[in-house]
Structures are given as C-alpha cells and as structure tokens.
Amino acid sequence: ETGVTQTPRHLVMGMTNKKSLKCEQHLGHNAMYWYKQSAKKPLELMFVYSLEERVENNSVPSRFSPECPNSSHLFLHLHTLQPEDSALYLCASSQGALPGDWTANYGYTFGSGTRLTVV
Amino acid sequence: KQEVTQIPAALSVPEGENLVLNCSFTDSAIYNLQWFRQDPGKGLTSLLLIQSSQREQTSGRLNASLDKSSGRSTLYIAASQPGDSATYLCAVTTWDSNYQLIWGAGTKLIIKP
C-alpha cells in the first residue's frame, strides 16, 4: 500500500444506481484529489480539496459529487452515470495546501484506484 | 494552454538495453516536472521530480533531464529489466495552473526477457 487507500478496487453499477468511492490517507497531507483515467488519455483532474475545502471543480458533471468530511477522507458519490463514465478513478494526496503553496507537488501519492464499469 | 505530449505511446525493447522516454511541453514557463510509473491495475508511483532550475535528477538506474528552453524532458533507463515494464507518465506544473499537474498520456514500456 502506498499510504493512500481506495475502496472498492472494482465496481460495476447500472446507470440508475447510486454508489460511492472512498479514499483515505494518513500521511498528514493537506490536499486531496480525484482523477479520472481513461484508456490512452491523459489523467483528467476532477476535484481538488485543500484543508477540507473544495478549491477546484473542473467542469465535472453533477452526477459526480465529492465530499471531504475531514482531512483524511475523500468520497466521490456517483448517481445516474453513463457508460462513458467507465474508467479508472484515482485518488491522490500531496503535502501542500492549495492554492499557491509551492509544496503542493511534494509527496504526491496515489491510491491504487477504483476500476468503474457502468452498464 | 499547456499541453504535454509523450511519444511513442508504446515501446518494446529487449532486456539489458538502455532506453530513453520522451516528454515535451508547449509552454516553457514550468515550475517543475515529474515522472511517474504506473503498473497495470495500480496507482501511480512518483519516480523523479525536477525543479525548473535543475537540469537533471538521478535515482538508481533512472536519470531524468530537463531542457526548459526546448520544452523537453527525457527519462533515461539504464540496463533495462523486465520489472521496468510499466506505463511511464510525465507531468508538469506551471505558475498559472495553481501548482496542479498537467499530464501526458504516457508511454507503455515492455521489456522483453
């Protein structure tokens, strides 16, 4: 394990389901991220939380809803997804507090991801 | 808008060879550049981080170079091993990206025994 734990590892859901992805870090990091990784495409940044406040929302559809209840936990709530949302969803954390903290890149640690399939 | 490109998308070489992976970026005003490794079905592992003021970083058999003026970075892997097989991604941070990473699509490397 890298220090960032994601559950579940695999998830298959129907388009009408509601599910949640969980991410947990005990590294003392201040920033947490959700990324989407689709085949042969660059990672897409979805959401950024810094000190438990959302600081970035990259035009993500409202069927994805993040939640950061404390500095160690991050959730991604999913509802009425589409087949094109099938991808690997990665959680990451980093030391610095955004915006503007130059140490934000330091200690960048990823979880193993959740492989999501929407049927 | 900063764009990061990695060519080739895939590379297969025999074990023992030295090899170079390439990363190019369109805006030379970067803050730093990082190389990551991703194994199938797993998350990413940070390999090397090069600050904008540095020319290279080394870790074991890995050496990453940075040429900001030409918008290029290379990852050199010496004496490749089958365990080096993975996808290698580079990412840059620019001053106006709020220190967030801008990613290339990666190079999938296969080392043949």
Side-chain angles (χ1 to χ4, degrees), chain A residues 6-18:
Chain A
Q6 288 188 247
T7 55
R9 294 295 300 273
H10 301 274
L11 178 63
V12 179
M13 60 185 289
M15 289 190 283
T16 59
N17 291 159
K18 289 185 179 181

Side-chain angles (χ1 to χ4, degrees), chain B residues 44-65:
Chain B
L44 283 70
T45 302
S46 179
L47 297 174
L48 291 163
L49 182 151
I50 310 177
Q51 298 289 9
S52 61
S53 59
Q54 297 175 319
R55 296 284 292 182
E56 65 178 350
Q57 283 287 331
T58 298
S59 176
R61 295 182 293 108
L62 304 180
N63 177 278
S65 69

Side-chain angles (χ1 to χ4, degrees), chain A residues 18-54:
Chain A
K18 289 185 179 181
K19 297 286 185 183
S20 296
L21 310 185
K22 180 181 177 182
C23 176
E24 186 173 351
Q25 62 93 5
H26 295 289
L27 302 169
H29 286 175
N30 289 311
M32 296 186 75
Y33 311 79
W34 279 117
Y35 282 93
K36 176 183 179 182
Q37 187 177 35
S38 304
K40 300 183 180 179
K41 292 176 63 176
L43 269 72
E44 300 173 50
L45 179 63
M46 300 176 71
F47 301 104
V48 182
Y49 276 81
S50 178
L51 300 174
E52 302 163 40
E53 296 291 328
R54 190 189 310 180

Side-chain angles (χ1 to χ4, degrees), chain B residues 14-69:
Chain B
E15 179 180 3
E17 283 197 5
N18 302 325
L19 60 99
V20 174
L21 304 181
N22 297 297
C23 173
S24 61
F25 44 94
T26 54
D27 185 351
S28 63
I30 64 170
Y31 182 68
N32 59 40
L33 182 145
Q34 296 191 65
W35 283 94
F36 292 82
R37 167 185 173 141
Q38 184 175 27
D39 293 284
K42 296 188 178 180
L44 283 70
T45 302
S46 179
L47 297 174
L48 291 163
L49 182 151
I50 310 177
Q51 298 289 9
S52 61
S53 59
Q54 297 175 319
R55 296 284 292 182
E56 65 178 350
Q57 283 287 331
T58 298
S59 176
R61 295 182 293 108
L62 304 180
N63 177 278
S65 69
L66 175 63
D67 184 344
K68 273 203 322 177
S69 61

